[in-house]
Amino acid sequence: MPCRLLEACKKNRASLPTILLKCYNVTMLLLPDYRVRQRDYLLEISRALTSQLNIDEVLRLILEAAVAMLAGSVGLIALQEDDHTFRARATIGVEPERIALFKPLLEGITDDAEEGFNIAELDRKMRLVARKLDIRLRQVVALPMVMRGEVVGVIFIFRAYSGQSTTNDRIVLQSFADQAAIAVHNARMYQRVMQEQQRLMAILDHSADGVMILDASRRILHFNKALGRMCGWQPKDAIGHNHDEIITWEHVDQGKPLGEAMSNGWPHERLPDATPDVLYVEGDLRRPDGSRISLGITYAPLIDPDGDLRNIIVNVRDITHFRQSEEMKSTFVSIISHELKTPVALIKGYAGTLRREDAEWDRDTIQNGLAVIEEEADRLNELIENLLAASKLQADGMRLTNVGDVNLRTVAARSVERFQTQSAIHTLVLDFPDPFPTIQGDEARLRQVIDNLVSNAIKYSPKGGEVRISGTYDDQSVTVAVKDEGVGLPQDEQERIFERFYRVDDALSRKTQGTGLGLYLARAVVEAHGGHISVESQPGKGSTFRFTLPRD
């Protein structure tokens, strides 16, 4: 219930010092018992102070009351800071920009309540401050605000006259100062709690992981921005809803959903010092727009001292890329196993056939067999080189070791010459202006890029057609494009095909040899030369791979 003093302030629209002074004077005149009058007055002040938790408002109330009680003209409150120095926090009767002039008064204040104040020294400093302020002050009254034996702060009241106080007056004033100390302490504690809460909320809201806080009935109390992006909910719309309305699983791969786990007794009773009974759930979440996302969610119970569930702290992590990486690794192992088995099986088969002692082979048969063995050995060597290059690229980045003059028209012509003999249904066309400018680069690496693009154009054009290798240039750069008439690429695959071990998941890719490393290495080579590689494609209408390199 609000105290009578505050009600009076609101009703009469009077300032707190005016009301305090009137209360003080009236009680002094009407009440017969002097100590009762003091007690009631201090009680009203105490109620007014303890009704506030805002530190600035508390200091204002204290200072107004002190100035009113002592009939002062200037008032100041200095609070002790963490470094044990005292700093002015509130003033009356002086402009804020002149507060710095009170600094001499605050120097040398001890935080030991038993040492007290040197009154003569205070008066000397007060006169020094008064001269700087150019005001007439005759006396300073210092009221230390003491809490548990430590000086929380000091109230300074400056008067234009000198006056004597009785022992009882000093007791009343010190009681007021003690009440003020309690009010300041409480307001500061509240301020620190609020600052800590704000800091915690800032950490939660700006965390890269999703964070949610639930009450014991699974109602959402806090929902951060990262979680909103994952789940497709605005935080303001999710707060207040039940957890199961927001976290709707498409399917769960690991653990049990929260509702089911709590129905089965989670969190289970444990010893006080035992490890928290954490619940982990992993699966695909269904978003409001119908899309899905793979999430790993950890639920940590917060148990109060009585053993009751108070809150559930929820940490949510997007594991979509992790799952894709795991699938990519699995695919890589499968591809590598297949890519190794095929040439090894052919080499072993032909070598075993040629070694048969019960057969006599003519020269052509032997030459054809040895050619297959050599071709498959080259495939193995290329595979191993690509794997080593990818591993080295991952560890050290792409390094260009033999940089010199390179004519990409000549490199492309050699590639056309080599690949034309490998397919009877494809026509390889070289389309470069002559002359074509040379650039500075690593010829072996750039030949690897063009060979890879031409090889892919042939692989992914199973019905044949034209493969055109063209070149253009301007004053700043040269561009090489490899265009085919093959199956093409869907839009969502066009960026991912340059990732390590990634292969388009379709029937043709599953039948076509490859490790998913060629385009990954090609991009690394092009970017190491300061260039850029891209693809333009439509399903069923072929693809054009294009890379551009600077001439300088």
Side-chain angles (χ1 to χ4, degrees):
M1 179 178 291
C3 70
R4 289 171 293 164
L5 183 60
L6 293 179
E7 290 177 349
C9 286
K10 294 177 181 177
K11 183 176 180 181
N12 299 303
R13 297 184 180 177
S15 67
L16 182 61
T18 304
I19 295 294
L20 284 170
L21 195 55
K22 286 182 179 180
C23 287
Y24 187 71
N25 292 335
V26 169
T27 52
M28 291 295 178
L29 290 171
L30 298 180
L31 292 178
D33 190 339
Y34 183 66
R35 292 186 178 178
V36 172
R37 295 200 296 270
Q38 290 176 339
R39 183 199 65 191
D40 288 350
Y41 182 63
L42 286 175
L43 182 60
E44 290 296 327
I45 294 175
S46 176
R47 285 175 176 172
L49 293 179
T50 55
S51 66
Q52 284 287 343
L53 286 174
N54 181 289
I55 184 66
D56 294 327
E57 184 65 14
V58 167
L59 295 176
R60 185 184 67 81
L61 292 174
I62 292 171
L63 199 52
E64 287 180 349
V67 169
M69 290 170 62
L70 293 167
S73 55
V74 174
L76 177 143
I77 293 181
L79 297 184
Q80 184 178 181
E81 303 297 326
D82 292 336
D83 59 358
H84 300 289
T85 61
F86 286 78
R87 184 168 68 89
R89 291 290 302 273
T91 59
I92 284 180
V94 64
E95 297 83 357
E97 59 270 16
R98 305 183 76 186
I99 292 178
L101 298 177
F102 286 93
K103 188 176 180 181
L105 199 67
L106 307 181
E107 294 174 350
I109 299 178
T110 176
D111 58 1
D112 188 345
E114 296 182 357
E115 290 191 14
F117 289 92
N118 185 326
I119 301 300
E121 180 65 12
L122 270 180
D123 283 339
R124 186 189 68 80
K125 291 181 177 179
M126 181 269 297
R127 287 191 295 273
L128 177 63
V129 171
R131 283 197 299 271
K132 290 183 179 180
L133 292 172
D134 194 23
I135 55 178
R136 298 186 58 148
L137 299 176
R138 299 289 300 278
Q139 186 180 35
V140 58
V141 179
L143 303 176
M145 296 185 291
V146 181
M147 181 76 177
R148 296 172 186 161
E150 182 179 341
V151 178
V152 174
V154 182
I155 307 169
F156 294 99
I157 303 300
F158 303 88
R159 301 196 294 197
Y161 65 93
S162 297
Q164 298 296 323
S165 58
T166 66
T167 301
N168 192 71
D169 289 337
R170 287 192 292 272
I171 293 174
V172 171
L173 291 172
Q174 191 56 56
S175 296
F176 164 74
D178 292 343
Q179 292 291 335
I182 294 171
V184 169
H185 175 75
N186 291 341
R188 273 187 154 181
M189 289 295 293
Y190 176 76
Q191 185 181 46
R192 286 169 183 163
V193 169
M194 292 302 297
Q195 288 174 346
E196 192 61 32
Q197 183 180 18
Q198 291 170 356
R199 187 179 298 113
L200 177 60
M201 289 300 104
I203 292 171
L204 294 181
D205 284 336
H206 295 90
S207 169
D209 286 348
V211 179
M212 179 167 43
I213 300 176
L214 311 176
D215 64 15
S217 62
R218 303 202 300 276
R219 186 170 61 92
I220 297 174
L221 305 178
H222 186 80
F223 194 93
N224 77 344
K225 297 175 183 176
L227 185 54
R229 289 191 292 270
M230 292 180 197
C231 298
W233 283 82
Q234 289 292 332
K236 62 181 178 62
D237 297 330
I239 292 173
H241 283 266
N242 186 278
H243 165 275
D244 296 345
E245 297 177 46
I246 306 301
I247 305 299
T248 53
W249 293 106
E250 183 80 18
H251 64 83
V252 174
D253 298 321
Q254 182 179 339
K256 293 181 179 180
L258 179 62
E260 183 181 343
M262 293 185 75
S263 298
N264 293 332
W266 184 89
H268 306 97
E269 292 186 9
R270 307 179 70 87
L271 296 174
D273 296 331
T275 304
D277 193 5
V278 174
L279 173 69
Y280 181 74
V281 186
E282 185 176 300
D284 288 340
L285 184 79
R286 186 171 61 253
R287 289 166 163 164
D289 62 2
S291 62
R292 296 188 308 169
I293 184 173
S294 296
L295 298 178
I297 304 182
T298 302
Y299 300 91
L302 187 63
I303 309 296
D304 65 19
D306 296 328
D308 297 324
L309 178 65
R310 177 177 296 176
N311 293 107
I312 301 173
I313 311 301
V314 186
N315 183 269
V316 185
R317 181 159 292 182
D318 182 356
I319 59 172
T320 303
H321 292 300
F322 173 76
R323 284 192 165 189
Q324 290 173 347
S325 177
E326 290 298 309
E327 291 174 5
M328 194 180 297
K329 288 179 182 177
S330 177
T331 302
F332 167 69
V333 171
S334 175
I335 290 172
I336 293 302
S337 299
H338 174 75
E339 292 292 312
L340 287 173
K341 282 181 179 179
T342 302
V344 168
L346 287 171
I347 290 172
K348 184 175 176 60
Y350 273 89
T353 299
L354 294 177
R355 288 183 66 250
R356 284 177 55 181
E357 296 180 357
D358 61 340
E360 293 184 3
W361 308 111
D362 57 53
R363 181 176 178 81
D364 289 341
T365 301
I366 293 173
Q367 288 297 321
N368 288 337
L370 292 175
V372 170
I373 291 173
E374 185 176 15
E375 183 179 328
E376 295 305 318
D378 288 341
R379 278 183 58 192
L380 278 176
N381 184 60
E382 182 183 359
L383 174 62
I384 292 169
E385 284 185 354
N386 282 343
L387 289 172
L388 290 174
S391 177
K392 195 171 183 180
L393 174 60
Q394 188 74 7
D396 303 325
M398 176 61 68
R399 296 183 180 180
L400 306 178
T401 55
N402 297 304
V403 177
D405 290 339
V406 180
N407 189 306
L408 292 176
R409 183 183 187 282
T410 303
V411 175
R414 291 173 184 165
S415 182
V416 167
E417 184 179 343
R418 283 194 304 275
F419 281 99
Q420 186 64 76
T421 60
Q422 297 182 16
S423 176
I425 61 173
H426 292 87
T427 302
L428 274 62
V429 177
L430 189 67
D431 183 14
F432 278 72
D434 190 13
F436 194 77
T438 60
I439 63 167
Q440 288 290 303
D442 188 324
E443 184 171 336
R445 293 291 191 185
L446 293 172
R447 182 176 68 246
Q448 184 182 12
V449 173
I450 294 176
D451 284 352
N452 182 274
L453 296 181
V454 174
S455 175
N456 280 353
I458 293 172
K459 285 180 186 178
Y460 294 98
S461 304
K463 295 181 181 180
E466 182 183 88
V467 175
R468 179 174 292 271
I469 304 96
S470 60
T472 58
Y473 68 92
D474 56 28
D475 292 339
Q476 285 78 38
S477 61
V478 297
T479 299
V480 175
V482 178
K483 181 179 180 181
D484 63 57
E485 298 175 346
V487 296
L489 289 166
Q491 184 66 36
D492 58 347
E493 302 278 1
Q494 291 180 21
E495 281 299 321
R496 298 203 62 198
I497 58 173
F498 294 102
E499 295 177 9
R500 189 171 53 139
F501 305 137
Y502 184 80
R503 300 190 76 204
V504 177
D505 186 15
D506 58 22
L508 179 59
S509 295
R510 287 189 286 271
K511 292 188 294 184
T512 304
Q513 298 172 352
T515 60
L517 289 174
L519 290 175
Y520 168 73
L521 293 171
R523 182 176 68 175
V525 171
V526 170
E527 291 179 351
H529 282 81
H532 174 71
I533 188 169
S534 61
V535 60
E536 298 173 7
S537 183
Q538 292 184 25
K541 296 185 178 180
S543 303
T544 301
F545 284 83
R546 182 178 289 105
F547 66 90
T548 301
L549 303 176
R551 290 182 62 173
D552 183 5

